[in-house]
Amino acid sequence: MHPVRKAKCSGQFLDDQTDSRFWRLMEEYKVDIYFAGEVHAVTVSKSKVQGSNLLQIVSRGNKLTSFLTVDTTDDAIEIKQYREVGQSQKFNNDYVQSGLLTIDKSNPSDPQISTSGELEVLDDEVALMHFDFERIFKIDERPIHAMYNEDSLVAKYQ
């Protein structure tokens, strides 16, 4: 399901996306979450089908720079996003929580979805990018997680 944040990837997507038979079956059987990957960035999207609560979570985790944890109970799902922090570009083995998504299904006819941080549901009704040319930032002051590594063509401020 589009839009999805992408960072240094091929941008491969499911043919016919939300019109595919696969997606329609997930809607029909009231699947809670579809996990996807490959785009090297994190995006949470909610189905636009009337009455559906299907979420698509696209996550990244190459070279253990980030990961998700999923905890379930009879009436709740909790997903946490962690990203690596430290002096090196990778392999610091130190992580901080950077996102939280919960689905409370204690009332099955009205599940409650709560999201924050990197797991905030993408609102594609508002501008996805905003440029303000009034202030110049050094690239290391406002990094985009996973946009730089040793084999990257992305500039790094020195």
Side-chain angles (χ1 to χ4, degrees):
M1 170 173 28
H2 284 293
V4 171
R5 294 178 184 101
K6 298 183 281 275
K8 298 181 345 185
C9 72
S10 64
Q12 297 176 10
F13 293 98
L14 178 68
D15 289 343
D16 301 322
Q17 299 176 44
T18 56
D19 292 329
S20 70
R21 185 166 191 271
F22 173 69
W23 195 269
R24 289 193 313 266
L25 283 169
M26 288 194 297
E27 297 279 4
E28 180 182 340
Y29 287 96
K30 302 193 183 311
V31 170
D32 293 305
I33 302 168
Y34 168 60
F35 290 94
E38 200 286 314
V39 296
H40 308 258
V42 177
T43 308
V44 177
S45 306
K46 186 176 181 300
S47 174
K48 295 190 182 337
V49 172
Q50 184 70 25
S52 173
N53 286 308
L54 175 57
L55 296 173
Q56 172 181 274
I57 299 177
V58 180
S59 65
R60 64 176 315 279
N62 55 328
K63 300 179 184 172
L64 293 176
T65 57
S66 68
F67 62 90
L68 298 175
T69 61
V70 181
D71 295 303
T72 62
T73 64
D74 290 340
D75 57 3
I77 301 170
E78 180 182 81
I79 301 170
K80 293 178 182 175
Q81 166 77 21
Y82 292 89
R83 65 178 172 80
E84 187 176 31
V85 294
Q87 296 297 315
S88 300
Q89 289 292 327
K90 54 188 171 188
F91 306 126
N92 292 289
N93 296 319
D94 190 13
Y95 298 89
V96 295
Q97 184 177 325
S98 58
L100 177 65
L101 182 150
T102 58
I103 303 173
D104 179 351
K105 298 175 71 169
S106 55
N107 179 357
S109 64
D110 186 27
Q112 298 298 306
I113 300 169
S114 172
T115 63
S116 64
E118 287 190 70
L119 294 178
E120 182 78 35
V121 171
L122 181 69
D123 181 0
D124 64 354
E125 298 296 320
V126 298
L128 299 178
M129 295 180 78
H130 172 75
F131 292 99
D132 180 348
F133 297 100
E134 300 302 316
R135 182 168 174 210
I136 297 173
F137 292 92
K138 295 178 181 177
I139 196 165
D140 61 346
E141 288 177 356
R142 299 189 54 174
I144 299 171
H145 183 57
M147 284 296 288
Y148 175 81
N149 61 32
E150 291 81 22
D151 63 350
S152 173
L153 295 178
V154 176
K156 181 179 179 191
Y157 179 79
Q158 305 250 342

